[in-house]
Amino acid sequence: MIIDIHGHYTTAPAQLGAWRDLQIAYAEGAGEAPDPAALRISDDDIRETIEANQLRLMDDRGSDVTVFSPRASFMAHHLGDLAVSETWARICNDLVARVSQLFPDRFLPGAMLPQSPGVDPKTTLAELDRAVNDLGVVTVNINPDPSGGLWTAPLLTDKSWYPLYEKLVEYELPAMIHVSTSCKPQFHTTGDHYLGADTTAFMQLLKGDLFRDFPDLKLVIPHGGGAVPYHWGRFRGLAMALGKPELEEHLLGNVYFDTCVYHQPGIDLLTGVIPTENILFASEMIGAVRDVDPRTGHYFDDTKRYVDATGNLTDERRGQVFEGNARRVYPRLDHALRARGL
């Protein structure tokens, strides 16, 4: 089985974006708060956007199941206040859950959290509980920078995050560390902002001792870990300078990387540096990079081709990347697939 652990509903019906525009306008002082009940998206609307896009590409590329969460760039936690984020998270999480209900053998839901700059992370717990108990999510996305590029949030190792981590461990729920839209024009949202945030998150974890307090917490750093695999020697050296153990002992029992790396040399580097046990197959299809690579004739984000082609993986280890690691790191995903006979 080919399990893609990183998908977003980037093709959601236009009604979602139109409703969000009204909410943002309200948050900026124009008009009234839009009523969530006024957002009408039919099952046929969902089927049309999924069948023509994600599902078609999954079939074309040979992937079986996608872990599907709300569009990352749409989270935009820096817009509005906590109440705005709570309403928006609920709407987006419900919509993604409907995708998994309509295509139960192909999609499993993930959730965004209603984060807001300067607000205690424990305010996200009510939506986390609802997403797990009512929607059946198998993961959540945590934004380490709800300010959208100002980096005003506490480090991921700060104890203000601990109530959230306690819940994640209780639910056996891994979290993907994923930022959202940048509010600073100096940073391209899906370019330097995303990849810089991946690198920053790893360094925050390296500097701390989070997993001493949470030995069962599982965190996924997307986009191949940003600069991390490329600069593995630097991070090993920094860990030594900070008096930390080797990275394999310090972090790799709890931190994982996905394969959203869009060329063969990048996947070769990732699979050559990072232990196979810490790599999860993913593509983030129809995401940051949507075009066909003129050098290969294939889509940049068709990452299965790169994993298939790398000489760093035996067939057995390739199976770990495609399926085994996801089932191990995402226990709720494994339970859901087994319940479907998969």
Side-chain angles (χ1 to χ4, degrees), residues 165-303:
Y165 297 153
E166 289 168 0
K167 275 288 187 180
L168 294 176
V169 171
E170 175 189 339
Y171 283 133
E172 294 187 299
L173 206 68
M176 180 173 283
I177 307 301
H178 204 309
V179 290
S180 185
T181 302
S182 171
C183 67
K184 296 176 70 65
Q186 298 93 327
F187 298 114
H188 183 282
T189 289
T190 59
D192 46 349
H193 181 53
Y194 275 23
L195 301 182
D198 301 333
T199 309
T200 298
F202 184 83
M203 190 65 202
Q204 288 185 8
L205 297 173
L206 186 154
K207 291 186 295 183
D209 294 292
L210 177 63
F211 304 115
R212 181 179 59 194
D213 293 338
F214 293 96
D216 297 322
L217 181 64
K218 307 296 184 186
L219 300 177
V220 179
I221 299 181
H223 318 118
V228 173
Y230 187 68
H231 286 289
W232 195 247
R234 175 181 290 256
F235 290 111
R236 287 187 61 234
L238 289 171
M240 290 176 62
L242 293 169
K244 304 298 182 183
E246 278 281 1
L247 295 179
E248 288 80 3
E249 176 186 350
H250 186 45
L251 298 180
L252 293 191
N254 307 84
V255 177
Y256 302 85
F257 304 86
D258 76 15
T259 64
C260 292
V261 179
Y262 296 149
H263 67 152
Q264 190 66 54
I267 289 293
D268 291 343
L269 175 71
L270 176 68
T271 54
V273 172
I274 302 300
T276 303
E277 293 77 10
N278 293 85
I279 301 174
L280 301 162
F281 176 69
S283 67
E284 200 176 17
M285 66 171 64
I286 318 181
V289 181
R290 305 186 181 193
D291 291 323
V292 171
D293 183 347
R295 297 183 182 179
T296 66
H298 301 291
Y299 285 98
F300 283 101
D301 62 7
D302 186 358
T303 55

